[in-house]
Amino acid sequence: MWGGRFAHGPSAIMREINASIPFDKALWRQDIMASKAHVAMLGAKGIVTSEDAALIAAGLDRVAAEFEADGVPEDWALEDIHMTVEHRLAELIGPVAGRLHTARSRNDQVATDFRLWVRDAIDDADRGLMALQTALVTRAGEHADSIMPGFTHLQTAQPVTLGHHLMAYYEMCDRDRSRFAAARARLDECPLGSAALAGTGFPIDRDATARALGFARPTANSLDAVSDRDFALDYLAAASQCALHLSRLAEELILWASQPFGFIALPDALSTGSSIMPQKKNPDAAELVRGHAGRIVGCQMALTMTMKGLPLAYSKDMQDDKPPVFEAAGLLALSLAAMAGMIDGARFDTGRMRQAAEMGHATATDLADWLVSEAGLPFREAHHITGQAVRRAEEQGVALDQLTLATLQEIDPRINERVFAALSVDASVAARDCYGGTAPRQVRDRVAEARTKLEIEP
Ligand code: ARG
């Protein structure tokens, strides 16, 4: 393809280090789609005759049909997917295939193909996130009233509802989706026609190719268009953030499925056994989601470092842009699917969760709040008195709400029997009825809003 100026062919090492076909063959659909848009435009503009354009388009369809049926051949001598497609086209339709590369370069070609691929990956991530959100919202609706301990520092803090806890992840997923959507909006420009780096002298119609490929407009600077990969980095940044959220949820499922917690049983279909300990049921899927987050962030870092310090315009370093994006996309899709399946199929032991919420004096803040609103104390003083009550409960080895009224009044005589109504875990969650709070009423409202947004039937 470039042999004209060379006396010797590339060494085996050169061929191997240069070949991207082992991974960029994943771009074959995008490559053929972009070539079809390009040749249709060349024909319409009279840059190639309409007969040649039609021959080339039909040939590209044949190549696509072959690749669909038999896969993409991997010949290192052809370097990459662009040359692989063009080579097969030439075998099928003869020298007229050579007209396809008029007014373009592999540089704008790969930038276009890769944008198309990343655009699909973004849409995929959005679908995966929606499926997870649907699972979260469904389970949250079932458990708007189920009480569990809420933690800070992984120490029992205040009772919360399981629905509220699950809806926290719904919100994270929502922001993840908006990050992907923002990446998609910025990606929405077509590099085709930027050619090698400077544009082309042929009278091309860049609006036509942009439109044909579903982009909002052509890119405005050819140097930028062939050498920028921030659309891929935007995608990886969104994927990393999403993976971090998934790994936190995974960690919670792992903890909750452990025997000391006993909050959930994960579905058999997403668990594994042990080859030596017959009783074991391991949360491997959740652990792998947690682990994959590290790899996805690693992919983001890999491409970040590849792009650092590259002068304009294209350098071959940029061929290394694809493996981390492909890897991250595969890992993310699996992680999202596994997580949706685990949330869907988890059995929540609400009795056990409630029991745990009743331990650890989780309603101590409610006692302090009661002293403020019923006895008119400043919160700091109420906090101090409550601390003394907790200490007394610890000394007696009982829960805070099991202290007798006499004991509480010894600590502060302003306490009366009405306090006990505030100390139950149910009263505690019901009281947190501010917008965004854990009260069942709030959770039901948020779930209803989310279902509307997700267009889930009532
Ligand atoms: N396989 C190459 C890549 O992915 C295509 C672009 C080649 N361009 C070049 N000037 N050698 O980056």
Side-chain angles (χ1 to χ4, degrees):
M1 91 194 89
W2 35 253
R5 68 117 37 239
F6 286 80
H8 302 285
S11 71
I13 296 292
M14 186 62 225
R15 262 205 302 276
E16 182 167 356
I17 197 172
N18 205 31
S20 55
I21 188 66
F23 53 85
D24 70 12
K25 61 184 184 177
L27 294 175
W28 73 265
R29 283 191 180 80
Q30 289 76 10
D31 195 72
I32 289 177
M33 189 197 302
S35 285
K36 285 190 71 178
H38 182 66
V39 78
M41 181 277 293
L42 292 179
K45 297 295 288 180
I47 300 167
V48 304
T49 64
S50 43
E51 295 77 50
D52 286 351
L55 274 174
I56 293 170
L60 287 167
D61 285 339
R62 285 176 64 192
V63 177
E66 281 187 12
F67 288 3
E68 188 75 73
D70 311 324
V72 180
E74 238 184 74
D75 179 356
W76 289 358
L78 293 173
E79 287 191 20
D80 57 25
I81 186 60
H82 322 296
M83 298 316 301
T84 301
V85 170
E86 197 181 315
H87 179 80
R88 185 62 191 141
L89 182 67
E91 284 177 347
L92 291 172
I93 67 171
V96 64
R99 297 194 184 278
L100 170 60
H101 212 53
T102 315
R104 77 171 186 191
S105 146
R106 278 188 294 161
N107 294 351
D108 59 340
Q109 199 179 349
V110 73
T112 304
D113 294 358
F114 199 26
R115 275 188 195 233
L116 289 169
W117 196 94
V118 171
R119 191 172 72 183
D120 285 348
I122 288 174
D123 293 343
D124 233 45
D126 191 64
R127 273 189 295 274
L129 276 161
M130 259 181 82
L132 175 55
Q133 282 185 310
T134 302
L136 287 165
V137 164
T138 304
R139 303 313 304 271
E142 292 165 19
H143 290 287
D145 300 276
S146 306
I147 288 175
M148 63 175 282
F151 302 97
T152 61
H153 314 267
L154 201 54
Q155 306 283 313
T156 297
Q158 292 175 351
V160 294
T161 48
L162 173 57
H164 194 53
H165 196 116
L166 294 173
M167 286 303 282
Y169 286 99
Y170 166 85
E171 294 293 331
M172 294 178 229
C173 290
D174 229 35
R175 291 193 299 279
D176 291 336
R177 288 179 64 196
S178 81
R179 264 181 286 273
F180 281 116
R184 196 185 198 286
R186 272 194 294 271
L187 165 154
D188 202 11
E189 297 183 339
C190 185
L192 204 59
S194 301
L197 73 165
T200 175
F202 290 99
I204 57 172
D205 181 351
R206 294 196 59 208
D207 289 310
T209 43
R211 218 176 311 115
L213 294 172
F215 289 105
R217 60 193 156 269
T219 50
N221 183 297
S222 59
L223 292 167
D224 173 45
V226 294
S227 67
D228 128 70
R229 291 296 182 268
D230 59 12
F231 66 89
L233 285 169
D234 276 351
Y235 167 76
L236 287 172
S240 292
Q241 182 56 69
C242 177
L244 292 187
H245 285 151
L246 295 181
S247 80
R248 297 186 73 178
L249 179 52
E251 168 69 3
E252 298 206 302
L253 296 184
I254 293 160
L255 282 172
W256 293 359
S258 71
Q259 283 68 25
F261 269 86
F263 286 3
I264 57 169
L266 289 170
D268 281 0
L270 287 162
S271 306
T272 55
S274 157
S275 51
I276 175 166
M277 296 164 284
Q279 87 284 10
K280 288 293 288 284
K281 177 173 165 187
N282 294 327
D284 288 35
E287 291 169 275
L288 286 164
V289 169
R290 187 175 60 183
H292 285 357
R295 289 172 63 190
I296 291 171
V297 173
C299 290
Q300 180 192 3
M301 201 46 59
L303 183 54
T304 301
M305 296 318 292
T306 295
M307 295 308 294
K308 179 192 168 298
L310 291 187
L312 298 185
Y314 179 89
S315 298
K316 198 60 174 257
D317 316 42
M318 291 165 63
Q319 178 163 283
D320 281 344
D321 57 358
K322 287 160 221 76
V325 170
F326 294 163
E327 182 182 357
L331 294 172
L332 186 69
L334 264 174
S335 298
L336 283 167
M339 194 50 89
M342 283 186 282
I343 296 297
D344 253 336
R347 213 167 25 71
F348 295 103
D349 188 338
T350 50
R352 176 97 176 188
M353 286 180 158
R354 188 186 174 88
Q355 230 172 35
E358 283 166 346
M359 293 175 352
H361 316 299
T363 57
T365 315
D366 296 275
L367 173 54
D369 286 352
W370 185 91
L371 288 165
V372 171
S373 50
E374 297 294 315
L377 270 63
F379 183 77
R380 283 291 158 227
E381 195 184 338
H383 183 284
H384 186 74
I385 291 166
T386 305
Q388 291 175 316
V390 168
R391 194 166 64 196
R392 194 68 61 85
E394 289 278 294
E395 281 162 11
Q396 297 186 6
V398 297
L400 187 60
D401 64 345
Q402 285 166 345
L403 288 173
T404 62
L405 183 58
T407 309
L408 286 168
Q409 283 177 336
E410 248 169 61
I411 297 166
D412 195 289
R414 286 167 289 191
I415 299 175
N416 60 45
E417 72 290 343
R418 286 197 305 275
V419 77
F420 290 106
L423 295 186
S424 75
V425 289
D426 300 277
S428 174
V429 295
R432 286 178 172 69
D433 197 24
C434 68
Y435 177 77
T438 195
R441 202 171 68 97
Q442 290 295 328
V443 174
R444 270 190 280 274
D445 285 354
R446 298 294 82 70
V447 165
E449 285 166 9
R451 293 179 73 93
T452 308
K453 246 174 112 173
L454 291 167
E455 298 174 0
I456 305 174
E457 299 301 318

